[in-house]
mmCIF file of all heavy atoms in Angstrom:
data_model
loop_
_atom_site.group_PDB
_atom_site.id
_atom_site.type_symbol
_atom_site.label_atom_id
_atom_site.label_comp_id
_atom_site.label_asym_id
_atom_site.label_seq_id
_atom_site.Cartn_x
_atom_site.Cartn_y
_atom_site.Cartn_z
ATOM 1 N N GLY A 30 0.807 -1.220 0.000
ATOM 2 C CA GLY A 30 0.000 0.000 0.000
ATOM 3 C C GLY A 30 0.833 1.259 0.000
ATOM 4 O O GLY A 30 0.534 2.216 -0.727
ATOM 5 N N SER A 31 1.906 1.260 0.789
ATOM 6 C CA SER A 31 2.731 2.467 0.855
ATOM 7 C C SER A 31 3.474 2.707 -0.450
ATOM 8 O O SER A 31 3.650 3.850 -0.869
ATOM 9 C CB SER A 31 3.702 2.410 2.039
ATOM 10 O OG SER A 31 4.720 1.465 1.825
ATOM 11 N N VAL A 32 3.887 1.637 -1.122
ATOM 12 C CA VAL A 32 4.553 1.791 -2.421
ATOM 13 C C VAL A 32 3.586 2.397 -3.437
ATOM 14 O O VAL A 32 3.926 3.347 -4.151
ATOM 15 C CB VAL A 32 5.112 0.435 -2.931
ATOM 16 C CG1 VAL A 32 5.526 0.518 -4.392
ATOM 17 C CG2 VAL A 32 6.282 -0.015 -2.061
ATOM 18 N N ILE A 33 2.378 1.877 -3.498
ATOM 19 C CA ILE A 33 1.376 2.398 -4.428
ATOM 20 C C ILE A 33 1.072 3.862 -4.109
ATOM 21 O O ILE A 33 1.037 4.712 -5.003
ATOM 22 C CB ILE A 33 0.096 1.532 -4.395
ATOM 23 C CG1 ILE A 33 0.396 0.156 -5.016
ATOM 24 C CG2 ILE A 33 -1.054 2.226 -5.138
ATOM 25 C CD1 ILE A 33 -0.694 -0.873 -4.825
ATOM 26 N N ALA A 34 0.888 4.164 -2.829
ATOM 27 C CA ALA A 34 0.601 5.544 -2.421
ATOM 28 C C ALA A 34 1.756 6.476 -2.793
ATOM 29 O O ALA A 34 1.530 7.600 -3.267
ATOM 30 C CB ALA A 34 0.333 5.605 -0.921
ATOM 31 N N ASP A 35 2.986 6.018 -2.590
ATOM 32 C CA ASP A 35 4.148 6.853 -2.912
ATOM 33 C C ASP A 35 4.235 7.147 -4.411
ATOM 34 O O ASP A 35 4.509 8.277 -4.811
ATOM 35 C CB ASP A 35 5.441 6.206 -2.424
ATOM 36 C CG ASP A 35 5.579 6.238 -0.911
ATOM 37 O OD1 ASP A 35 4.796 6.958 -0.250
ATOM 38 O OD2 ASP A 35 6.473 5.531 -0.391
ATOM 39 N N PHE A 36 3.996 6.126 -5.241
ATOM 40 C CA PHE A 36 4.001 6.356 -6.691
ATOM 41 C C PHE A 36 2.887 7.312 -7.092
ATOM 42 O O PHE A 36 3.071 8.193 -7.935
ATOM 43 C CB PHE A 36 3.881 5.041 -7.474
ATOM 44 C CG PHE A 36 5.182 4.317 -7.662
ATOM 45 C CD1 PHE A 36 5.425 3.111 -7.024
ATOM 46 C CD2 PHE A 36 6.179 4.834 -8.473
ATOM 47 C CE1 PHE A 36 6.625 2.435 -7.198
ATOM 48 C CE2 PHE A 36 7.383 4.172 -8.670
ATOM 49 C CZ PHE A 36 7.612 2.969 -8.018
ATOM 50 N N ARG A 37 1.720 7.165 -6.468
ATOM 51 C CA ARG A 37 0.595 8.059 -6.772
ATOM 52 C C ARG A 37 0.939 9.499 -6.395
ATOM 53 O O ARG A 37 0.706 10.427 -7.176
ATOM 54 C CB ARG A 37 -0.660 7.602 -6.013
ATOM 55 C CG ARG A 37 -1.847 8.535 -6.215
ATOM 56 C CD ARG A 37 -3.065 8.093 -5.433
ATOM 57 N NE ARG A 37 -2.873 8.004 -4.009
ATOM 58 C CZ ARG A 37 -2.824 9.052 -3.181
ATOM 59 N NH1 ARG A 37 -2.954 10.288 -3.644
ATOM 60 N NH2 ARG A 37 -2.648 8.870 -1.876
ATOM 61 N N LYS A 38 1.530 9.671 -5.224
ATOM 62 C CA LYS A 38 1.882 11.016 -4.762
ATOM 63 C C LYS A 38 2.978 11.646 -5.632
ATOM 64 O O LYS A 38 2.948 12.851 -5.875
ATOM 65 C CB LYS A 38 2.314 10.970 -3.296
ATOM 66 C CG LYS A 38 1.155 10.676 -2.357
ATOM 67 C CD LYS A 38 1.639 10.410 -0.942
ATOM 68 C CE LYS A 38 0.493 9.939 -0.059
ATOM 69 N NZ LYS A 38 0.973 9.501 1.260
ATOM 70 N N LYS A 39 3.925 10.829 -6.090
ATOM 71 C CA LYS A 39 4.979 11.341 -6.987
ATOM 72 C C LYS A 39 4.377 11.887 -8.278
ATOM 73 O O LYS A 39 4.888 12.851 -8.848
ATOM 74 C CB LYS A 39 5.990 10.242 -7.330
ATOM 75 C CG LYS A 39 7.016 9.982 -6.270
ATOM 76 C CD LYS A 39 7.986 8.903 -6.716
ATOM 77 C CE LYS A 39 8.765 8.363 -5.538
ATOM 78 N NZ LYS A 39 9.538 7.166 -5.894
ATOM 79 N N LYS A 40 3.307 11.246 -8.737
ATOM 80 C CA LYS A 40 2.620 11.696 -9.954
ATOM 81 C C LYS A 40 1.641 12.835 -9.668
ATOM 82 O O LYS A 40 1.000 13.351 -10.582
ATOM 83 C CB LYS A 40 1.861 10.532 -10.596
ATOM 84 C CG LYS A 40 2.737 9.404 -11.099
ATOM 85 C CD LYS A 40 3.314 9.729 -12.450
ATOM 86 C CE LYS A 40 4.080 8.528 -12.987
ATOM 87 N NZ LYS A 40 4.444 8.687 -14.378
ATOM 88 N N ARG A 41 1.511 13.176 -8.390
ATOM 89 C CA ARG A 41 0.581 14.235 -7.961
ATOM 90 C C ARG A 41 -0.853 13.969 -8.420
ATOM 91 O O ARG A 41 -1.519 14.825 -9.006
ATOM 92 C CB ARG A 41 1.063 15.595 -8.431
ATOM 93 C CG ARG A 41 2.364 16.002 -7.788
ATOM 94 C CD ARG A 41 2.692 17.433 -8.098
ATOM 95 N NE ARG A 41 3.792 17.873 -7.238
ATOM 96 C CZ ARG A 41 4.893 18.419 -7.697
ATOM 97 N NH1 ARG A 41 5.076 18.592 -8.992
ATOM 98 N NH2 ARG A 41 5.842 18.796 -6.867
ATOM 99 N N ILE A 42 -1.290 12.738 -8.165
ATOM 100 C CA ILE A 42 -2.639 12.308 -8.532
ATOM 101 C C ILE A 42 -3.386 11.979 -7.243
ATOM 102 O O ILE A 42 -2.850 11.313 -6.364
ATOM 103 C CB ILE A 42 -2.592 11.064 -9.455
ATOM 104 C CG1 ILE A 42 -1.860 11.370 -10.758
ATOM 105 C CG2 ILE A 42 -3.990 10.543 -9.745
ATOM 106 C CD1 ILE A 42 -1.638 10.166 -11.635
ATOM 107 N N SER A 43 -4.616 12.417 -7.143
ATOM 108 C CA SER A 43 -5.426 12.096 -5.965
ATOM 109 C C SER A 43 -5.927 10.651 -6.050
ATOM 110 O O SER A 43 -5.935 10.039 -7.118
ATOM 111 C CB SER A 43 -6.628 13.040 -5.873
ATOM 112 O OG SER A 43 -7.535 12.773 -6.934
ATOM 113 N N GLN A 44 -6.362 10.138 -4.912
ATOM 114 C CA GLN A 44 -6.964 8.804 -4.904
ATOM 115 C C GLN A 44 -8.190 8.775 -5.805
ATOM 116 O O GLN A 44 -8.424 7.789 -6.504
ATOM 117 C CB GLN A 44 -7.367 8.396 -3.485
ATOM 118 C CG GLN A 44 -6.218 7.982 -2.610
ATOM 119 C CD GLN A 44 -6.689 7.507 -1.249
ATOM 120 O OE1 GLN A 44 -7.818 7.781 -0.824
ATOM 121 N NE2 GLN A 44 -5.825 6.802 -0.548
ATOM 122 N N GLU A 45 -8.933 9.841 -5.787
ATOM 123 C CA GLU A 45 -10.149 9.922 -6.601
ATOM 124 C C GLU A 45 -9.813 9.782 -8.087
ATOM 125 O O GLU A 45 -10.452 9.016 -8.817
ATOM 126 C CB GLU A 45 -10.856 11.256 -6.338
ATOM 127 C CG GLU A 45 -12.224 11.375 -6.950
ATOM 128 C CD GLU A 45 -13.268 10.555 -6.218
ATOM 129 O OE1 GLU A 45 -13.200 10.443 -4.990
ATOM 130 O OE2 GLU A 45 -14.162 10.027 -6.902
ATOM 131 N N VAL A 46 -8.805 10.514 -8.533
ATOM 132 C CA VAL A 46 -8.413 10.477 -9.944
ATOM 133 C C VAL A 46 -7.831 9.116 -10.301
ATOM 134 O O VAL A 46 -8.205 8.512 -11.312
ATOM 135 C CB VAL A 46 -7.412 11.613 -10.270
ATOM 136 C CG1 VAL A 46 -6.810 11.430 -11.652
ATOM 137 C CG2 VAL A 46 -8.101 12.965 -10.161
ATOM 138 N N LEU A 47 -6.920 8.611 -9.465
ATOM 139 C CA LEU A 47 -6.298 7.321 -9.763
ATOM 140 C C LEU A 47 -7.330 6.205 -9.800
ATOM 141 O O LEU A 47 -7.310 5.366 -10.708
ATOM 142 C CB LEU A 47 -5.206 6.987 -8.744
ATOM 143 C CG LEU A 47 -4.506 5.639 -8.950
ATOM 144 C CD1 LEU A 47 -3.876 5.540 -10.331
ATOM 145 C CD2 LEU A 47 -3.476 5.400 -7.865
ATOM 146 N N SER A 48 -8.239 6.191 -8.851
ATOM 147 C CA SER A 48 -9.257 5.137 -8.845
ATOM 148 C C SER A 48 -10.130 5.209 -10.095
ATOM 149 O O SER A 48 -10.503 4.175 -10.655
ATOM 150 C CB SER A 48 -10.112 5.202 -7.575
ATOM 151 O OG SER A 48 -10.848 6.398 -7.512
ATOM 152 N N GLY A 49 -10.427 6.426 -10.563
ATOM 153 C CA GLY A 49 -11.197 6.576 -11.797
ATOM 154 C C GLY A 49 -10.433 6.084 -13.005
ATOM 155 O O GLY A 49 -10.978 5.361 -13.846
ATOM 156 N N LEU A 50 -9.148 6.449 -13.096
ATOM 157 C CA LEU A 50 -8.321 6.012 -14.227
ATOM 158 C C LEU A 50 -8.125 4.500 -14.234
ATOM 159 O O LEU A 50 -8.043 3.874 -15.287
ATOM 160 C CB LEU A 50 -6.952 6.702 -14.179
ATOM 161 C CG LEU A 50 -6.931 8.203 -14.444
ATOM 162 C CD1 LEU A 50 -5.547 8.771 -14.152
ATOM 163 C CD2 LEU A 50 -7.344 8.503 -15.883
ATOM 164 N N ALA A 51 -8.038 3.910 -13.032
ATOM 165 C CA ALA A 51 -7.815 2.466 -12.915
ATOM 166 C C ALA A 51 -9.129 1.676 -12.903
ATOM 167 O O ALA A 51 -9.113 0.450 -12.908
ATOM 168 C CB ALA A 51 -7.030 2.169 -11.643
ATOM 169 N N ASP A 52 -10.257 2.383 -12.894
ATOM 170 C CA ASP A 52 -11.581 1.766 -12.856
ATOM 171 C C ASP A 52 -11.752 0.843 -11.646
ATOM 172 O O ASP A 52 -12.206 -0.287 -11.763
ATOM 173 C CB ASP A 52 -11.878 1.016 -14.162
ATOM 174 C CG ASP A 52 -13.350 0.685 -14.312
ATOM 175 O OD1 ASP A 52 -14.189 1.440 -13.778
ATOM 176 O OD2 ASP A 52 -13.668 -0.346 -14.935
ATOM 177 N N ILE A 53 -11.326 1.358 -10.481
ATOM 178 C CA ILE A 53 -11.568 0.663 -9.217
ATOM 179 C C ILE A 53 -12.195 1.678 -8.260
ATOM 180 O O ILE A 53 -12.077 2.878 -8.463
ATOM 181 C CB ILE A 53 -10.274 0.068 -8.610
ATOM 182 C CG1 ILE A 53 -9.242 1.158 -8.298
ATOM 183 C CG2 ILE A 53 -9.693 -0.999 -9.500
ATOM 184 C CD1 ILE A 53 -8.004 0.655 -7.575
ATOM 185 N N GLY A 54 -12.859 1.193 -7.253
ATOM 186 C CA GLY A 54 -13.495 2.098 -6.297
ATOM 187 C C GLY A 54 -12.472 2.876 -5.481
ATOM 188 O O GLY A 54 -11.413 2.347 -5.137
ATOM 189 N N ARG A 55 -12.803 4.129 -5.151
ATOM 190 C CA ARG A 55 -11.873 4.930 -4.359
ATOM 191 C C ARG A 55 -11.676 4.327 -2.980
ATOM 192 O O ARG A 55 -10.570 4.325 -2.441
ATOM 193 C CB ARG A 55 -12.345 6.385 -4.229
ATOM 194 C CG ARG A 55 -11.216 7.279 -3.692
ATOM 195 C CD ARG A 55 -11.709 8.551 -3.029
ATOM 196 N NE ARG A 55 -12.606 8.317 -1.908
ATOM 197 C CZ ARG A 55 -12.208 7.934 -0.680
ATOM 198 N NH1 ARG A 55 -10.949 7.710 -0.420
ATOM 199 N NH2 ARG A 55 -13.091 7.767 0.269
ATOM 200 N N THR A 56 -12.739 3.792 -2.387
ATOM 201 C CA THR A 56 -12.602 3.177 -1.066
ATOM 202 C C THR A 56 -11.728 1.923 -1.133
ATOM 203 O O THR A 56 -10.991 1.638 -0.190
ATOM 204 C CB THR A 56 -13.971 2.846 -0.441
ATOM 205 O OG1 THR A 56 -14.715 2.038 -1.342
ATOM 206 C CG2 THR A 56 -14.747 4.108 -0.124
ATOM 207 N N HIS A 57 -11.805 1.205 -2.243
ATOM 208 C CA HIS A 57 -10.948 0.031 -2.444
ATOM 209 C C HIS A 57 -9.483 0.469 -2.537
ATOM 210 O O HIS A 57 -8.609 -0.108 -1.879
ATOM 211 C CB HIS A 57 -11.379 -0.714 -3.711
ATOM 212 C CG HIS A 57 -10.654 -1.995 -3.943
ATOM 213 N ND1 HIS A 57 -10.825 -2.741 -5.079
ATOM 214 C CD2 HIS A 57 -9.735 -2.665 -3.214
ATOM 215 C CE1 HIS A 57 -10.048 -3.815 -5.020
ATOM 216 N NE2 HIS A 57 -9.382 -3.788 -3.896
ATOM 217 N N LEU A 58 -9.219 1.504 -3.334
ATOM 218 C CA LEU A 58 -7.859 2.025 -3.456
ATOM 219 C C LEU A 58 -7.365 2.517 -2.103
ATOM 220 O O LEU A 58 -6.222 2.247 -1.712
ATOM 221 C CB LEU A 58 -7.790 3.157 -4.481
ATOM 222 C CG LEU A 58 -6.427 3.841 -4.619
ATOM 223 C CD1 LEU A 58 -5.358 2.858 -5.081
ATOM 224 C CD2 LEU A 58 -6.521 5.025 -5.572
ATOM 225 N N SER A 59 -8.189 3.210 -1.366
ATOM 226 C CA SER A 59 -7.827 3.711 -0.056
ATOM 227 C C SER A 59 -7.463 2.557 0.885
ATOM 228 O O SER A 59 -6.468 2.629 1.621
ATOM 229 C CB SER A 59 -8.971 4.531 0.532
ATOM 230 O OG SER A 59 -8.643 4.994 1.811
ATOM 231 N N ALA A 60 -8.237 1.494 0.858
ATOM 232 C CA ALA A 60 -7.964 0.324 1.702
ATOM 233 C C ALA A 60 -6.646 -0.345 1.304
ATOM 234 O O ALA A 60 -5.888 -0.798 2.167
ATOM 235 C CB ALA A 60 -9.118 -0.674 1.616
ATOM 236 N N ILE A 61 -6.356 -0.379 0.012
ATOM 237 C CA ILE A 61 -5.083 -0.932 -0.464
ATOM 238 C C ILE A 61 -3.926 -0.083 0.060
ATOM 239 O O ILE A 61 -2.949 -0.607 0.596
ATOM 240 C CB ILE A 61 -5.052 -1.014 -2.004
ATOM 241 C CG1 ILE A 61 -6.021 -2.100 -2.508
ATOM 242 C CG2 ILE A 61 -3.630 -1.288 -2.512
ATOM 243 C CD1 ILE A 61 -6.254 -2.077 -4.017
ATOM 244 N N GLU A 62 -4.037 1.229 -0.088
ATOM 245 C CA GLU A 62 -2.962 2.126 0.334
ATOM 246 C C GLU A 62 -2.741 2.086 1.848
ATOM 247 O O GLU A 62 -1.619 2.272 2.308
ATOM 248 C CB GLU A 62 -3.232 3.557 -0.132
ATOM 249 C CG GLU A 62 -3.053 3.735 -1.618
ATOM 250 C CD GLU A 62 -3.087 5.183 -2.056
ATOM 251 O OE1 GLU A 62 -3.274 6.084 -1.214
ATOM 252 O OE2 GLU A 62 -2.918 5.426 -3.267
ATOM 253 N N ARG A 63 -3.784 1.832 2.605
ATOM 254 C CA ARG A 63 -3.646 1.728 4.067
ATOM 255 C C ARG A 63 -3.152 0.352 4.505
ATOM 256 O O ARG A 63 -2.883 0.126 5.675
ATOM 257 C CB ARG A 63 -4.985 2.028 4.755
ATOM 258 C CG ARG A 63 -5.398 3.476 4.691
ATOM 259 C CD ARG A 63 -6.576 3.770 5.626
ATOM 260 N NE ARG A 63 -7.667 2.810 5.514
ATOM 261 C CZ ARG A 63 -8.697 2.902 4.672
ATOM 262 N NH1 ARG A 63 -8.776 3.920 3.837
ATOM 263 N NH2 ARG A 63 -9.642 1.991 4.653
ATOM 264 N N GLY A 64 -3.068 -0.576 3.575
ATOM 265 C CA GLY A 64 -2.609 -1.922 3.903
ATOM 266 C C GLY A 64 -3.695 -2.820 4.455
ATOM 267 O O GLY A 64 -3.412 -3.877 5.014
ATOM 268 N N GLU A 65 -4.929 -2.433 4.270
ATOM 269 C CA GLU A 65 -6.051 -3.238 4.756
ATOM 270 C C GLU A 65 -6.457 -4.305 3.748
ATOM 271 O O GLU A 65 -7.105 -5.284 4.113
ATOM 272 C CB GLU A 65 -7.244 -2.343 5.078
ATOM 273 C CG GLU A 65 -6.978 -1.401 6.232
ATOM 274 C CD GLU A 65 -8.088 -0.390 6.443
ATOM 275 O OE1 GLU A 65 -9.093 -0.422 5.701
ATOM 276 O OE2 GLU A 65 -7.944 0.447 7.344
ATOM 277 N N ARG A 66 -6.104 -4.092 2.486
ATOM 278 C CA ARG A 66 -6.408 -5.061 1.424
ATOM 279 C C ARG A 66 -5.199 -5.192 0.521
ATOM 280 O O ARG A 66 -4.436 -4.248 0.363
ATOM 281 C CB ARG A 66 -7.597 -4.596 0.590
ATOM 282 C CG ARG A 66 -8.875 -4.483 1.407
ATOM 283 C CD ARG A 66 -10.064 -4.245 0.547
ATOM 284 N NE ARG A 66 -10.327 -5.430 -0.259
ATOM 285 C CZ ARG A 66 -11.353 -5.552 -1.090
ATOM 286 N NH1 ARG A 66 -12.195 -4.555 -1.233
ATOM 287 N NH2 ARG A 66 -11.538 -6.654 -1.783
ATOM 288 N N LYS A 67 -5.051 -6.360 -0.066
ATOM 289 C CA LYS A 67 -3.982 -6.573 -1.042
ATOM 290 C C LYS A 67 -4.611 -6.551 -2.432
ATOM 291 O O LYS A 67 -5.654 -7.166 -2.655
ATOM 292 C CB LYS A 67 -3.304 -7.927 -0.828
ATOM 293 C CG LYS A 67 -2.484 -8.006 0.432
ATOM 294 C CD LYS A 67 -1.835 -9.378 0.551
ATOM 295 C CE LYS A 67 -1.194 -9.548 1.897
ATOM 296 N NZ LYS A 67 -0.690 -10.915 2.097
ATOM 297 N N PRO A 68 -3.977 -5.857 -3.372
ATOM 298 C CA PRO A 68 -4.539 -5.830 -4.718
ATOM 299 C C PRO A 68 -4.310 -7.156 -5.452
ATOM 300 O O PRO A 68 -3.288 -7.810 -5.244
ATOM 301 C CB PRO A 68 -3.759 -4.706 -5.401
ATOM 302 C CG PRO A 68 -2.441 -4.682 -4.701
ATOM 303 C CD PRO A 68 -2.756 -5.060 -3.266
ATOM 304 N N THR A 69 -5.266 -7.523 -6.266
ATOM 305 C CA THR A 69 -5.052 -8.671 -7.158
ATOM 306 C C THR A 69 -4.073 -8.230 -8.244
ATOM 307 O O THR A 69 -3.790 -7.028 -8.390
ATOM 308 C CB THR A 69 -6.372 -9.100 -7.836
ATOM 309 O OG1 THR A 69 -6.835 -8.015 -8.655
ATOM 310 C CG2 THR A 69 -7.437 -9.499 -6.817
ATOM 311 N N LEU A 70 -3.570 -9.176 -9.012
ATOM 312 C CA LEU A 70 -2.688 -8.816 -10.124
ATOM 313 C C LEU A 70 -3.410 -7.908 -11.114
ATOM 314 O O LEU A 70 -2.825 -6.964 -11.634
ATOM 315 C CB LEU A 70 -2.182 -10.071 -10.847
ATOM 316 C CG LEU A 70 -1.039 -10.801 -10.165
ATOM 317 C CD1 LEU A 70 -0.726 -12.092 -10.915
ATOM 318 C CD2 LEU A 70 0.197 -9.938 -10.082
#
């Protein structure tokens, strides 16, 4: 989660924007970044 969050922050993209571009829910992305969920491949 921290690696994904760091790459997102380096690109200066919000969770809202990244989740939209990746077609995943923002709450799902947030849970991944907090380490509460692991992303599938």
Side-chain angles (χ1 to χ4, degrees):
S31 71
V32 167
I33 291 170
D35 289 348
F36 277 112
R37 176 182 59 76
K38 290 171 187 172
K39 280 181 196 170
K40 296 279 185 169
R41 295 189 168 127
I42 299 173
S43 68
Q44 284 184 342
E45 189 74 36
V46 170
L47 179 57
S48 64
L50 292 171
D52 195 29
I53 61 174
R55 193 203 58 77
T56 55
H57 185 186
L58 176 62
S59 179
I61 290 169
E62 288 190 359
R63 289 192 312 271
E65 295 173 1
R66 298 189 68 177
K67 290 181 189 174
T69 63
L70 281 175

